[in-house]
Amino acid sequence: MSRKFQNEIWMMVRYGFVGLLNTGVFSLTAYLLSRKGLHYAVYTALGYIVAIVFSFLMNTLFTFRKSESPKLGMFGRFVLVTITLLILVQGIQAGLIEIMNTKEVPAIIVGMLFYTGVGYTLNRLWVFGKQKGGPKKHYDN
């Protein structure tokens, strides 16, 4: 197996690990804010904000190991990808469940797989990939 292929696999593993951590960050944030008596719309929105920032930082530093400091444009692209994928996944799940009469759990799994696969690809190539002004700056494992 080539070194480049091994690096890509490990980057995917790190991406998945950050996704799991991110789920925990969202859940913990939402839970703690709910205990403060906030309305569910407020604590879930704040939970998403905290989780998106956490995910961006972890993906910058850990998953894609960017050597330059995070840029506002990079964060904007990350947020755009994240929100777009959340909307698309809701549509996929609604289509599978409401139109195609798929059971909920398999439809949710399809949505999760779509989000993870497309999210990794867009983040790898567009958000954290080659930027103007020079070559990609990824560290090897």
Side-chain angles (χ1 to χ4, degrees), residues 19-87:
L20 291 173
L21 288 176
N22 193 49
T23 300
V25 166
F26 167 79
S27 300
L28 181 62
T29 302
Y31 172 76
L32 292 174
L33 292 173
S34 74
R35 302 289 294 161
K36 295 288 185 186
L38 296 176
H39 188 273
Y40 75 89
V42 174
Y43 70 72
T44 56
L46 291 172
Y48 276 118
I49 290 168
V50 170
I52 287 170
V53 171
F54 172 81
S55 182
F56 174 73
L57 293 172
M58 288 298 294
N59 278 305
T60 300
L61 301 171
F62 177 68
T63 302
F64 299 106
R65 297 181 175 177
K66 298 296 286 182
S67 59
E68 70 267 14
S69 61
K71 305 283 190 284
L72 188 57
M74 190 185 298
F75 181 69
R77 288 189 301 275
F78 184 81
V79 170
L80 180 63
V81 166
T82 300
I83 291 171
T84 301
L85 285 172
L86 287 171
I87 292 167

